[in-house]
C-alpha cells in the first residue's frame, strides 16, 4: 500500500514547507519538495496537510449508552473531524473497570478498522470512590486511568491511586470537581481539587493529566506546578477557550471572559499541552433532562483554528503541537508528526473556507452543541489513516 500526496502546504509542530509526503505500509517514508514515486497520488492543489489530530478525552458511550453514540458513529465523527486516535473515557455501562470491557472496545474497534482507540480504565472500581484493586489486573494495553465525569473525592484514595499509577507507569487523568462545594461555587470546586491533586503529585511524583481546565486559578496553579518540574500535563477544550457567559450545560461550566483570556495566555506561553474535545454526545431527550456535554469531535479543529490562529494568538505550527504532537507524546503513540517512521495519519484542510456549523449534518449521534448556526473557518477535506483515505469530503485519488 503506497500513497503520494503532491503539492501540499505541509505543516506540523516544527515544519512548514510546500511539497509532498510519501506513505508506504502505513508509515511516512519520505517528505520533501518534489518527490516521485510510482503509486496512487492525491493532488493536494495547495491544501494544507497536517498530522491528523489526537484526542485525549472522548466519550463514545459504548457499551451501555449506544443510543447516544457507539464505536461506529463515534469513529466516523472522529474521522470527519480530522482525528485518527481517540482516548475513550470509562463512564460507560458497565463502567470500564476491567479488561473485559477494555477488550470488548478494542476488539470492536479493530473490526471497524476506522481509527485507533485507547480505552481508559476507571481509577476507582465502578466509580465507587474507594476501591483500587482492579488496577493490579490491568494489561499493558492500558495507559490511562480516570473517573472522568466525577472527581475522586477522598484525598487518601487519590494519593493511593497516584502511588499505584506510578508503580505501573500509568497516567491518571483528573476530572477536578469537589462534590461538596460544587453546588455552592463551581469554580472553587474545580480550583480546590486541582490544587489538591498538584500537591498530591508533589508528594508522589506520579504522572497526572488535568482534564478540561476551565478557570484562571486552576491554570495558574498548573503553571506553577509545571515551573517546579512536576510531572503534570493539561488540556483545554475548544468550548472553554471560545465561549464565556454562556449557560449551555457542560461540566465544567462555561466560565468568564477573564478565564478564557487566562487559558489562551497559557496556551501562548506553552503551558497547555493539548486540546481535548471532551466529546460528550447526548440524545435530545437526555439534554432536555439536564445532561451535561457537547458533541465536539466534528467542530474542534475549526473552533480552535478560528479562535487561536485566526484570532492572532498562535501559529498553525503551535496548533498542530497541541492537537497532534503533544497529545501523541502523552499517549505514547507513533503519531502526530510529519517524520519518517511515524504513522501515515494526515488531515487535508481548506483553511480559506468559512462555513456554518449545522449539527443536523453531524455524523455523531450527538447533535448537542452550543455552536450550531455559528460560522467558523477551516474545513476538513479528508482524513488519511495509515496511508488510506478514511474520510473523503471531496478529494480525488489518482489510481494509476
Ligand atoms: O460535560 C460533561 N460531559 N462533562 C463531563 O465531565 C462528563 C461528560 C459526559 O460524560 O457526558
Ligand atoms: Zn469527559
Amino acid at each position: 500500500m503506497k500513497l503520494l500526496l503532491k503539492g501540499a502546504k505541509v505543516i506540523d509542530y516544527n515544519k512548514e514547507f510546500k511539497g509532498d509526503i510519501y506513505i508506504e505500509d502505513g508509515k511516512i517514508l519520505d517528505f520533501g519538495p518534489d518527490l516521485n514515486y510510482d503509486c496512487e497520488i492525491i493532488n493536494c492543489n495547495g491544501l494544507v496537510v497536517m498530522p491528523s489530530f489526537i484526542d485525549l478525552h472522548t466519550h463514545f458511550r459504548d457499551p451501555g449508552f449506544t443510543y447516544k453514540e457507539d464505536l461506529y458513529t463515534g469513529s466516523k465523527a472522529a474521522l470527519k473531524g480530522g482525528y485518527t486516535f481517540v482516548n475513550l473515557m470509562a463512564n460507560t455501562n458497565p463502567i470500564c473497570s476491567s479488561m473485559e470491557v477494555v477488550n470488548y472496545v478494542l476488539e470492536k474497534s479493530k473490526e471497524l478498522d476506522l481509527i485507533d482507540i485507547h480505552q481508559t480504565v476507571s481509577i476507582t472500581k465502578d466509580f465507587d470512590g474507594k476501591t483500587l484493586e482492579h488496577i493490579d489486573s490491568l494489561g499493558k494495553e492500558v495507559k490511562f486511568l480516570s473517573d472522568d465525569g466525577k472527581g475522586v473525592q477522598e484525598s487518601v484514595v487519590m494519593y493511593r491511586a497516584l502511588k499505584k499509577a506510578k508503580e505501573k507507569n500509568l497516567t491518571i487523568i483528573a476530572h477536578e470537581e469537589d462534590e461538596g462545594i460544587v453546588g455552592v461555587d463551581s469554580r472553587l470546586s474545580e480550583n480546590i481539587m486541582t490544587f489538591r491533586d498538584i500537591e498530591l503529585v508533589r508528594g508522589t511524583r506520579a504522572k497526572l493529566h488535568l482534564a478540561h481546565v476551565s478557570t484562571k486559578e486552576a491554570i495558574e496553579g498548573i503553571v506553577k506546578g509545571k515551573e517546579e518540574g512536576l510531572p503534570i500535563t493539561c488540556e483545554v477544550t475548544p468550548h472553554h477557550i471560545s465561549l464565556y457567559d454562556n449557560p449551555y450545560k457542560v461540566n465544567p461550566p462555561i466560565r468568564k471572559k477573564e478565564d478564557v483570556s487566562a487559558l489562551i495566555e497559557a496556551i501562548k506561553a506553552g503551558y497547555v499541552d493539548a486540546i481535548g474535545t471532551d466529546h460528550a454526545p447526548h440524545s435530545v431527550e437526555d439534554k432536555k433532562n439536564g445532561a451535561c456535554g457537547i458533541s465536539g469531535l466534528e467542530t474542534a479543529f475549526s473552533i480552535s483554528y478560528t479562535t487561536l490562529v485566526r484570532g492572532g494568538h498562535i501559529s498553525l505550527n503551535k496548533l498542530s503541537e497541541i492537537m497532534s504532537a503533544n497529545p501523541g507524546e502523552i499517549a505514547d503513540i507513533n503519531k502526530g508528526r510529519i517524520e519518517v517512521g511515524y504513522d501515515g495519519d494526515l488531515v487535508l484542510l481548506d483553511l480559506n473556507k468559512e462555513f456554518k456549523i449545522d449539527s443536523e449534518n453531524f455524523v455523531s449521534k450527538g447533535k448537542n452543541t452550543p455552536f450550531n448556526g455559528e460560522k467558523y473557518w477551516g474545513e476538513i477535506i479528508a482524513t488519511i489513516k495509515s496511508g488510506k483515505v478514511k474520510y473523503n469530503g471531496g478529494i480525488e485519488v489518482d489510481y494509476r
Side-chain angles (χ1 to χ4, degrees):
M1 183 70 205
K2 299 168 184 179
L3 180 69
L4 181 60
L5 283 92
K6 287 223 63 100
K9 195 176 163 210
V10 181
I11 302 266
D12 80 351
Y13 77 111
N14 74 351
K15 283 177 211 71
E16 178 169 2
F17 66 91
K18 282 214 168 81
D20 312 339
I21 302 176
Y22 175 64
I23 302 168
E24 190 173 314
D25 295 331
K27 307 278 178 203
I28 297 172
L29 264 205
D30 200 356
F31 59 85
D34 195 9
L35 305 182
N36 279 302
Y37 288 93
D38 192 18
C39 64
E40 272 176 40
I41 291 181
I42 295 176
N43 281 310
C44 297
N45 297 323
L47 288 176
V48 166
V49 173
M50 291 166 78
S52 56
F53 311 126
I54 294 167
D55 192 17
L56 296 174
H57 193 144
T58 317
H59 300 265
F60 276 177
R61 316 297 194 197
D62 198 346
F65 301 111
T66 52
Y67 68 97
K68 293 178 196 262
E69 191 80 291
D70 60 41
L71 283 157
Y72 175 74
T73 55
S75 301
K76 294 289 264 189
L79 287 169
K80 198 169 169 210
Y83 287 85
T84 56
F85 179 96
V86 301
N87 177 38
L88 298 181
M89 293 297 129
N91 60 344
T92 49
N93 186 17
I95 286 164
C96 184
S97 299
S98 69
M99 286 311 288
E100 202 181 322
V101 180
V102 173
N103 290 333
Y104 159 80
V105 170
L106 296 186
E107 275 161 31
K108 197 163 162 189
S109 119
K110 204 169 168 196
E111 269 167 39
L112 289 172
D113 190 24
L114 291 168
I115 60 170
D116 287 337
I117 282 178
H118 174 273
Q119 175 62 56
T120 291
V121 170
S122 65
I123 302 170
T124 68
K125 190 169 180 351
D126 302 325
F127 288 4
D128 73 357
K130 46 179 190 265
T131 313
L132 303 172
E133 280 70 31
H134 67 292
I135 298 171
D136 296 329
S137 54
L138 300 180
K140 61 174 181 351
E141 305 89 322
V142 179
K143 300 173 181 176
F144 296 113
L145 303 173
S146 183
D147 279 7
D148 179 66
K150 272 173 81 120
V152 174
Q153 299 303 303
E154 280 205 53
S155 306
V156 69
V157 175
M158 192 62 162
Y159 173 81
R160 290 195 187 115
L162 284 161
K163 285 277 214 194
K164 244 185 210 298
K166 188 169 185 203
E167 240 173 66
K168 301 194 65 128
N169 193 28
L170 298 165
T171 298
I172 290 195
I173 299 181
H175 171 111
E176 305 296 24
E177 180 176 352
D178 181 312
E179 285 167 13
I181 207 164
V182 71
V184 183
D185 186 330
S186 92
R187 56 187 305 130
L188 271 186
S189 157
E190 177 174 345
N191 296 345
I192 285 170
M193 210 60 142
T194 303
F195 303 152
R196 179 201 73 177
D197 286 347
I198 293 171
E199 283 305 304
L200 288 175
V201 172
R202 191 174 283 118
T204 58
R205 300 274 154 178
K207 284 187 285 180
L208 184 77
H209 178 76
L210 295 120
H212 45 51
V213 180
S214 74
T215 70
K216 183 172 183 277
E217 298 80 18
I219 198 69
E220 282 169 2
I222 291 164
V223 167
K224 267 197 193 157
K226 282 184 163 231
E227 281 184 340
E228 206 186 305
L230 297 179
I232 53 178
T233 54
C234 72
E235 77 193 19
V236 297
T237 69
H239 43 280
H240 289 117
I241 57 169
S242 60
L243 301 177
Y244 50 88
D245 297 334
N246 185 310
Y248 197 86
K249 283 208 79 164
V250 61
N251 191 18
I254 302 301
R255 306 289 188 187
K256 301 269 172 215
K257 196 172 181 185
E258 71 215 54
D259 297 300
V260 170
S261 304
L263 296 179
I264 292 178
E265 282 311 308
I267 293 173
K268 287 165 80 169
Y271 292 109
V272 173
D273 299 278
I275 299 283
T277 69
D278 199 3
H279 176 76
H282 289 292
S283 67
V284 174
E285 189 70 14
D286 289 350
K287 269 317 256 188
K288 268 192 198 137
N289 292 328
C292 283
I294 293 172
S295 182
L297 277 170
E298 290 167 75
T299 55
F301 172 78
S302 314
I303 294 168
S304 305
Y305 168 68
T306 305
T307 306
L308 297 172
V309 182
R310 288 237 164 197
H313 299 293
I314 62 170
S315 66
L316 195 54
N317 298 102
K318 180 70 189 174
L319 186 62
S320 181
E321 182 178 318
I322 60 178
M323 291 192 74
S324 302
N326 287 347
E329 208 167 296
I330 292 167
D332 192 20
I333 51 177
N334 217 25
K335 296 186 197 293
R337 298 168 187 224
I338 308 290
E339 209 74 77
V340 171
Y342 268 63
D343 290 354
D345 288 21
L346 305 169
V347 59
L348 276 66
L349 300 148
D350 182 350
L351 298 183
N352 296 318
K353 182 107 175 246
E354 194 187 28
F355 66 99
K356 206 185 249 189
I357 292 175
D358 179 358
S359 60
E360 283 314 305
N361 292 336
F362 283 3
V363 295
S364 166
K365 288 184 191 176
K367 315 294 180 199
N368 47 305
T369 175
F371 298 102
N372 202 29
E374 299 295 325
K375 281 183 156 180
Y376 284 92
W377 291 93
E379 192 173 53
I380 284 117
I381 305 296
T383 305
I384 293 169
K385 180 174 176 292
S386 306
K388 289 186 200 128
V389 180
K390 294 281 184 180
Y391 166 72
N392 190 339
I395 50 151
E396 276 176 34
V397 186
D398 180 8
Y399 299 96
R400 50 173 208 173

